[in-house]
Amino acid sequence: MFKKQLKEERGNFMKSLKTKILALLLSMMMVFGIAGPVFAGNLKSNSKVTQSVTSEELNKNILNIAKACKAAASNPKPSTYFGDWSIFAVNRGGDLTSSIPGLNSWNELYKQNVIKNISTLKTSTDYARTIIGLASIGVDTTKPIAGVNLFEQMLKDKDDFKGTYASIPISVLNAVNVSNYDLSNSTYVSSIDILIDDILSYLDKDGKFSYEYDGVTYIDYDSTAQAIQVLYKYKDKENVKEFIDKGLQILKEEQAKSQNGDVNYSACTTSQVIVALCTAGVDIETYKNSDGKTLYDGLMSYYDSKTHMFKGWDGNVDGMSTDQALYALIAYSKNINIYDLSGITFKPFDSVTLSLNTSSINIAQVGNTYQLKVSVTPSNAVTTYKSSNTKIATVDSRGKIIAKGVGSTTITVNSVYGNKVSKSVKVNVKLGKLGTVKAAGGHKYAKISYSKVSGATKYVIYKYNGKSYAKYATTTKTSFTDKKVTSGKNYYYKVRAYNGGYYSGYSKAVKAAVKVGIPTKVKAKAGKKKVTVTFKKAKYAKKYEIYKKSGKKYKKIATVKKNKYVDKKVKKNKKYYYRVRAVKDSSNKSNFAKTVKSNKVK
């Protein structure tokens, strides 16, 4: 894991190089996805480990750490941090951690997050890590998950197993071991021996895992411990046994030189050494430094009792150190190979079935909603919704469809668990119905008005031509004025809304009565004891109203059918004012003609 074996005193090293080392580690982790631990085979340790700490204290610590780990990974996803390793660590506690509230629902959330985020897995170590996490909660990872064969995806990058980092083939072999995957089924890697050879190919000429830093070669204690975990299952192979014997001796010598009983000044490395010894059946109490401090002492020197988490290289608590320390302590407490999952009953993800309540939906207008009813088995399958055109309609995570525009779109529903099933529904969003349409006639015009229709971009006006309603005008406004009219006539209209080739239904027909024409050539001629009012008739008028000014106001003095009226209620030597308007019916009267003034009555 590219950690420098320190030759000088620890304090000086941490001050001068920890920033540089941390940057290098983070860079390698991000690029190659190897930040997390790797996992070993299915052998159970038979050693009788002596413990320098009481079981009560150890198990109390394990429960507190597991709770902190679960809390930090509250939304566990397939990832190095607060994801697969947290799931593995907490669940491997068995009876020590099974009392944690919400553990089952936490595991189910992780399974659903794996399905949702399965496309984020890119590298072999990504797939290996997630295989281990799922296997720890009883998922048969040899079967497709969300339609994806995790093993084939992991193994197809076999060219990266050599020449990059030992962590890659170590991770891959661990995943194969834990799930008992039959490599004879694989298209890419046909045997365990290939992976073993890939791992051992990283040993230097002295038979050690090593790396170079600033021109100096250092022993890679992490890879040494992790390779022991993975390869112990195959210890009967001569080259494997030779490596394990040498590797255990290397780790023991390094721990003996430490100040606190740790290895490589790291909670992570110390955890991996504890796990390696438990896997190989070695009593970890036999690993002590000159002051008698054990690996347990060394690991707990990184423990923060306030947070119940472990500190990393920067002195701050972190998830990776906590995950690894947790399952190392569980292995230590239970005296087991932490990666022996033989006691777990593996079950594949169920096959998902999906049905919808309809295959097509008509939504009356923009702004309306529709709740799609979906039936999915199993109920915890991950179901997603997607609209092919969100300008027409959107859909939320619960299947609620909201009409956004006029037209058609397809809502696709995907449910994934062991397999993936898709169903689709066509959504047609129509223009809403027009509300009440009103029409009124003015002098030489007809006006039609209506309320705005949600989603409409235009309104089409249809005018009756004596035989049928024909398209007459288009407007973006909610009213239209027709000036091509004749005074006194009635006109009939219909309206409908429009958007991109889609029309609403026709409105009911409305009548606009254009005001009758104004009488013209009005005259008032005074004679002996009378005033004669004459005018030219208006077309379509049936009668006329005569108004006379009496005092300050005009009052109606007569209604006539002819274009003449004789006013005899007059006085000698007095002038009078008159005005006239045409009447078709009680609702259709013209404006008044121009006021006229008589000469003096004789």
Side-chain angles (χ1 to χ4, degrees):
M1 293 288 290
F2 304 92
K3 294 173 183 170
K4 184 174 181 179
Q5 181 182 8
L6 306 178
K7 300 301 181 181
E8 56 268 28
E9 194 269 339
R10 180 179 182 181
N12 292 333
F13 167 79
M14 292 301 291
K15 291 180 181 179
S16 62
L17 290 181
K18 72 176 183 178
T19 301
K20 188 173 182 181
I21 292 292
L22 180 60
L24 175 63
L25 283 169
L26 292 175
S27 174
M28 302 306 293
M29 293 170 187
M30 292 174 67
V31 174
F32 298 103
I34 57 175
V38 290
F39 297 87
N42 302 316
L43 296 178
K44 185 172 182 179
S45 171
N46 294 317
S47 66
K48 295 184 179 297
V49 177
T50 58
Q51 297 176 349
S52 58
V53 60
T54 65
S55 295
E56 182 180 1
E57 178 186 351
L58 177 58
N59 294 342
K60 180 180 179 181
N61 286 337
I62 287 173
L63 181 59
N64 287 333
I65 296 165
K67 288 179 178 178
C69 186
K70 177 179 175 292
S74 59
N75 187 30
K77 298 178 180 179
S79 61
T80 299
Y81 299 98
F82 305 123
D84 309 289
W85 302 144
S86 300
I87 288 290
F88 179 86
V90 173
N91 281 281
R92 291 304 290 141
D95 60 321
L96 299 179
T97 56
S98 60
S99 63
I100 295 177
L103 184 61
N104 290 336
S105 58
W106 187 58
N107 291 337
E108 285 301 317
L109 177 60
Y110 168 67
K111 289 166 67 175
Q112 292 186 36
N113 280 336
V114 169
I115 295 171
K116 290 179 182 178
N117 297 280
I118 203 161
S119 62
T120 65
L121 303 179
K122 303 297 183 183
T123 67
S124 295
T125 48
D126 286 343
Y127 286 104
R129 183 189 64 234
T130 299
I131 287 170
I132 296 300
L134 289 170
S136 71
I137 57 175
V139 175
D140 183 357
T141 52
T142 65
K143 301 295 188 296
I145 296 172
V148 177
N149 186 318
L150 299 183
F151 278 95
E152 285 301 272
Q153 293 298 314
M154 176 183 70
L155 296 167
K156 72 178 183 180
D157 292 329
K158 62 179 180 178
D159 291 340
D160 287 338
F161 297 171
K162 286 186 178 181
T164 310
Y165 301 101
S167 294
I168 298 177
I170 290 173
S171 297
V172 170
L173 183 54
N174 266 303
V176 172
N177 286 344
V178 169
S179 298
N180 292 317
Y181 185 71
D182 186 355
L183 284 173
S184 65
N185 297 325
S186 174
T187 305
Y188 303 103
V189 178
S190 58
S191 72
I192 293 291
D193 287 336
I194 292 175
L195 294 175
I196 293 174
D197 291 342
D198 285 343
I199 293 170
L200 296 179
S201 69
Y202 288 91
L203 294 173
D204 61 20
K205 59 183 178 59
D206 297 323
K208 302 174 182 177
F209 287 108
S210 60
Y211 63 93
E212 188 174 297
Y213 183 83
D214 281 350
V216 180
T217 299
Y218 300 99
I219 296 174
D220 185 350
Y221 298 105
D222 285 86
S223 292
T224 301
Q226 293 164 0
I228 291 172
Q229 298 165 20
V230 171
L231 296 175
Y232 189 75
K233 181 178 181 179
Y234 312 102
K235 64 183 183 301
D236 292 337
K237 294 180 180 291
E238 186 175 347
N239 56 346
V240 171
K241 184 178 184 304
E242 181 181 353
F243 158 71
I244 290 175
D245 290 342
K246 183 175 290 187
L248 290 172
Q249 185 61 32
I250 290 171
L251 297 177
K252 187 170 187 178
E253 292 173 358
E254 175 62 16
Q255 193 268 344
K257 295 184 293 183
S258 69
Q259 293 181 349
N260 299 317
D262 60 349
V263 178
N264 202 28
Y265 307 110
S266 165
C268 291
T269 307
T270 306
S271 297
Q272 293 305 316
V273 174
I274 291 174
V275 172
L277 298 188
C278 289
T279 302
V282 177
D283 185 347
I284 70 170
E285 297 299 318
T286 62
Y287 278 52
K288 296 181 180 180
N289 68 2
S290 58
D291 295 327
K293 292 184 178 180
T294 66
L295 287 164
Y296 175 80
D297 296 325
L299 179 57
M300 295 305 290
S301 68
Y302 296 93
Y303 180 58
D304 179 57
S305 59
K306 292 183 179 180
T307 63
H308 301 297
M309 298 182 74
F310 284 76
K311 298 176 183 178
W313 277 79
D314 60 358
N316 297 317
V317 296
D318 66 64
M320 185 170 69
S321 298
T322 303
D323 288 342
Q324 296 186 49
L326 175 58
Y327 64 71
L329 290 174
I330 291 169
Y332 174 48
S333 173
K334 289 177 168 291
N335 186 26
I336 60 169
N337 171 2
I338 198 69
Y339 313 110
D340 179 6
L341 306 185
S342 58
I344 295 178
T345 300
F346 290 103
K347 296 181 179 180
F349 273 57
D350 296 330
S351 294
V352 66
T353 60
L354 168 67
S355 63
L356 308 181
N357 62 317
T358 184
S359 59
S360 64
I361 301 167
N362 292 319
I363 299 180
Q365 65 180 31
V366 174
N368 284 9
T369 63
Y370 181 90
Q371 181 61 55
L372 188 62
K373 295 181 180 179
V374 180
S375 178
V376 183
T377 303
S379 59
N380 61 339
V382 174
T383 302
T384 59
Y385 304 83
K386 185 177 181 180
S387 172
S388 63
N389 189 342
T390 55
K391 292 182 178 180
I392 303 300
T394 60
V395 59
D396 67 13
S397 60
R398 295 185 178 182
K400 182 180 180 181
I401 299 170
I402 304 176
K404 295 291 187 179
V406 178
S408 297
T409 185
T410 299
I411 302 296
T412 301
V413 184
N414 290 319
S415 286
V416 290
Y417 209 58
N419 57 332
K420 180 178 180 180
V421 179
S422 295
K423 298 282 186 179
S424 62
V425 56
K426 187 174 182 180
V427 177
N428 302 304
V429 180
K430 298 182 177 182
L431 280 169
K433 293 182 179 179
L434 283 161
T436 302
V437 178
K438 296 180 180 180
H443 181 57
K444 295 184 179 180
Y445 71 87
K447 185 175 182 180
I448 304 94
S449 60
Y450 35 84
S451 59
K452 184 178 181 179
V453 175
S454 180
T457 57
K458 296 179 182 179
Y459 300 90
V460 183
I461 314 300
Y462 297 82
K463 186 175 182 180
Y464 188 69
N465 60 15
K467 295 181 179 180
S468 62
Y469 284 89
K471 184 177 179 180
Y472 183 66
T474 300
T475 180
T476 59
K477 299 178 180 179
T478 54
S479 65
F480 173 73
T481 301
D482 182 10
K483 294 183 178 181
K484 294 181 179 181
V485 295
T486 300
S487 297
K489 286 191 69 174
N490 293 332
Y491 294 88
Y492 298 87
Y493 301 89
K494 288 184 178 181
V495 183
R496 62 176 175 168
Y498 171 86
N499 182 322
Y502 293 87
Y503 290 88
S504 71
Y506 289 96
S507 70
K508 291 183 178 180
V510 291
K511 181 180 77 171
V514 178
K515 284 186 177 182
V516 69
I518 301 171
T520 59
K521 297 182 179 181
V522 181
K523 295 179 181 179
K525 186 177 180 181
K528 187 177 182 179
K529 296 183 180 181
K530 67 179 179 180
V531 175
T532 302
V533 180
T534 60
F535 47 87
K536 186 178 181 179
K537 287 185 174 182
K539 193 176 182 180
Y540 299 110
K542 293 184 178 181
K543 52 188 175 180
Y544 300 91
E545 295 177 343
I546 313 299
Y547 284 75
K548 178 182 178 181
K549 190 174 183 180
S550 177
K552 295 183 179 180
K553 296 182 179 180
Y554 280 93
K555 291 184 178 180
K556 185 169 71 172
I557 59 173
T559 299
V560 299
K561 292 184 177 181
K562 296 181 179 181
N563 59 337
K564 181 180 178 181
Y565 173 73
V566 179
D567 180 12
K568 294 181 178 182
K569 293 181 180 182
V570 294
K571 293 181 179 180
K572 186 177 180 180
N573 295 324
K574 191 173 181 180
K575 295 180 180 180
Y576 293 93
Y577 294 87
Y578 298 89
R579 60 184 185 181
V580 181
R581 68 178 176 183
V583 177
K584 184 177 180 182
D585 53 45
S586 61
S587 63
N588 192 337
K589 299 179 180 181
S590 76
N591 294 337
F592 286 100
K594 186 177 181 180
T595 299
V596 293
K597 176 182 173 183
S598 72
N599 50 357
K600 290 183 179 180
V601 177
K602 295 177 181 178

